[in-house]
Amino acid sequence: MLRQLAQRSNVAVHSNAKLLGEVEAVAVKDDEVREEKELDALRRKPGLQPVPAKEIGDGVQLTPWEVLHTLGRAIALSRRGAGRGLAEHWGCLKYSQALKGALGTFMALSAEGRDTADYYKALQSDELGVGFALALAKHVLTRRYPDHSVSIVPADTALRAGFAVTGRDAGTSVGYRYRPQYFAEVWKPGQPSRVFPIVCKGNHSGASASHTQLASASVHADAVHIGGWTDTPALIFSTELPVDGPMTIHALQARGNGGELAHPAGRTRDLDMELDEDNIFPGILPPAQDGETVEPVPGFHIEPEKYAWFQHALARTGAAGLTAFAGDADATVPYLTNRQGRKRYEGISHAAIGSVQDANETLLGIPFVGTDHVFRLNRIRVEAFSGVAQDLFKHLAKRRLTRYRNEVHAHRSSWPTDSWDAEWGGPVSILPDGSALALRVLPA
């Protein structure tokens, strides 16, 4: 049962001029419908293009467990569930039997995954779409920037450090429901980060649904401008998960000279210091027309004077995601501001869904600290473990974020790639950020 989770298989990636044309045609038709209904036109990410073939090749090889690990890391700071953050990442485990694959074949939904799609189609495709898209995004950006590290940061949490994202947040609300779900921070110690807004969608319907989703994703991707007008690079994805065939990740990108958080040396921030919550006025200012200043359009604008602050916010938010994934509330609190949800980690969790950082495991020869969760798969009791490499977690817990980033960057290419640990007794995934997810059957 668990061997299937550790089986590496192919995942097809579709990104070419034909896809771009189909997405653009959907966007044009959607704009026409909105005009007929007298609705405001949507602002879409301009300059979309296929992802270069050299960066995606013939696709990617992934294990189902790596996809679930990527999903778990992505949702560790989510506000959608009742886990108050510290148990959010266990949501990935509900898909432990949803995927199947084998070496030399393409990954697809299992029988259980197909059955689940009949009842929870939108939720399953949405969440698995995140796992596949972010795994591909890291693959693409690691190839593009081989001497950098790539961190995935939830956009809502990062933006809340400087903006009132919704009306429930303190401050002047942005009042714009479109925004990317994640940022990819491409970084190297001591250098400015480069940031890519990422939008992930998924469906069980087919390629035409992916075209519609990518057209919608282009609206969300344009909601954040880092630097000049429409100059921020971005990645958008729609994962097609058919019930009767292999899955395909449809991908497009926008290139741009923005997104680089270059700032004067005098503004460089100490990442070990707590983040000061800012109150950036919402809106994106388009360039002047005929010398006349125009009204700002809805969205989030990170201008050059905020680059150092935003790099600080991304690093601290990423650290919070790691400590939450390891189940440590006390370590998570200092990395978040109040508007980002700091108080959620200071209170008492609901019964049965909390996590506590009190587990120690050695996986593929590396000591990890984290938290565990016991549940049943087809009536069989299994134990899941999530955590961070012990030496790296010690830096995070003691608020030595700079040292963590220095060391994890130095070891980014040396982590084990095995997907099964015989001594542990089950599938294991270790990501370059030093986090691990493992599963095993418990003795009867």
Side-chain angles (χ1 to χ4, degrees):
M1 176 178 60
L2 300 188
R3 286 281 182 183
Q4 183 68 51
L5 291 168
Q7 184 62 63
R8 192 169 298 278
S9 56
N10 300 314
V11 179
V13 180
H14 180 212
S15 187
N16 55 27
K18 182 180 178 182
L19 173 65
L20 177 61
E22 289 164 332
V23 171
E24 289 177 336
V26 169
V28 169
K29 185 175 181 179
D30 184 51
D31 290 343
E32 291 173 349
V33 171
R34 292 184 66 86
E35 185 176 4
E36 290 173 1
K37 295 181 177 181
E38 298 183 348
L39 298 173
D40 292 338
L42 295 174
R43 195 179 76 245
R44 303 179 190 274
K45 190 70 179 174
L48 289 177
Q49 57 185 257
V51 180
K54 66 180 180 181
E55 293 177 353
I56 56 176
D58 296 324
V60 292
Q61 281 200 339
L62 300 168
T63 69
W65 197 238
E66 183 181 350
V67 174
L68 299 190
H69 184 184
T70 302
L71 172 60
R73 279 285 293 111
I75 63 177
L77 293 176
S78 171
R79 297 184 175 204
R80 293 192 300 175
R84 300 180 66 119
L86 285 180
E88 296 284 359
H89 66 282
W90 292 133
C92 71
L93 298 177
K94 61 180 173 283
Y95 301 116
S96 295
Q97 293 180 285
L99 300 170
K100 67 175 183 178
L103 192 63
T105 66
F106 285 90
M107 199 177 296
L109 290 175
S110 65
E112 180 173 305
R114 294 193 297 272
D115 290 342
T116 303
D118 289 338
Y119 299 97
Y120 304 104
K121 181 176 292 187
L123 178 64
Q124 178 173 268
S125 61
D126 174 57
E127 293 188 327
L128 287 178
V130 168
F132 282 103
L134 295 182
L136 177 59
K138 290 187 290 184
H139 173 85
V140 167
L141 294 175
T142 298
R143 281 194 169 189
R144 191 177 299 179
Y145 303 97
D147 59 341
H148 286 67
S149 292
V150 179
S151 297
I152 301 297
V153 180
D156 266 12
T157 309
L159 290 171
R160 277 190 166 92
F163 297 88
V165 174
T166 68
R168 296 189 300 272
D169 299 322
T172 304
S173 173
V174 172
Y176 193 56
R177 67 185 183 90
Y178 302 101
R179 52 187 177 273
Q181 297 144 293
Y182 298 95
F183 293 121
E185 182 198 6
V186 181
W187 59 274
K188 192 175 184 179
Q191 294 188 10
S193 299
R194 184 175 290 276
V195 184
F196 292 77
I198 297 177
V199 184
C200 317
K201 293 179 178 285
N203 68 83
H204 291 303
S205 301
S208 60
S210 285
H211 304 156
T212 300
Q213 288 186 332
L214 288 172
S216 171
S218 69
V219 180
H220 292 265
D222 200 51
V224 175
H225 286 208
I226 303 170
W229 174 254
T230 70
D231 201 25
T232 306
L235 292 166
I236 61 175
F237 302 95
S238 173
T239 301
E240 178 189 348
L241 298 118
V243 295
D244 57 355
M247 59 191 57
T248 301
I249 307 174
H250 302 272
L252 293 173
Q253 67 167 353
R255 302 303 289 259
N257 296 318
E260 185 176 2
L261 304 179
H263 54 268
R267 289 188 179 176
T268 298
R269 286 171 165 243
D270 182 356
L271 299 183
D272 295 349
M273 299 297 292
E274 288 197 20
L275 179 65
D276 51 308
E277 189 164 272
D278 210 327
N279 287 287
I280 304 172
F281 198 77
I284 304 170
L285 190 64
Q289 296 181 359
D290 299 324
E292 296 290 331
T293 302
V294 295
E295 289 294 315
V297 298
F300 307 83
H301 198 176
I302 309 297
E303 299 190 75
E305 62 269 21
K306 295 295 183 181
Y307 284 173
W309 169 85
F310 193 51
Q311 185 165 337
H312 192 191
L314 290 170
R316 302 287 293 186
T317 305
L322 277 166
T323 53
F325 188 75
D328 195 321
D330 291 339
T332 303
V333 167
Y335 289 110
L336 297 174
T337 69
N338 287 334
R339 199 161 52 209
Q340 286 182 302
R342 181 175 186 149
K343 292 182 179 179
R344 290 185 299 137
Y345 298 92
E346 296 174 329
I348 299 173
S349 297
H350 297 296
I353 48 72
S355 290
V356 179
Q357 189 273 297
D358 61 355
N360 298 269
E361 300 291 348
T362 297
L363 303 171
L364 299 176
I366 300 172
F368 286 84
V369 296
T371 184
D372 53 12
H373 180 59
V374 175
F375 64 107
R376 291 183 183 273
L377 277 179
N378 291 340
R379 301 182 180 180
I380 299 173
R381 291 176 70 243
V382 295
E383 175 191 16
F385 170 84
S386 66
V388 177
Q390 186 178 60
D391 55 342
L392 296 174
F393 183 81
K394 190 177 297 183
H395 296 321
L396 293 171
K398 293 187 176 182
R399 309 184 190 185
R400 300 192 296 244
L401 179 53
T402 300
R403 189 165 175 185
Y404 160 79
R405 283 167 72 96
N406 287 341
E407 292 188 12
V408 81
H409 177 75
H411 293 96
R412 68 191 185 281
S413 302
S414 61
W415 296 100
T417 57
D418 294 341
S419 57
W420 186 270
D421 186 331
E423 188 170 342
W424 159 261
V428 172
S429 171
I430 299 177
L431 297 180
D433 60 9
S435 68
L437 185 69
L439 188 68
R440 65 181 173 185
V441 174
L442 288 174

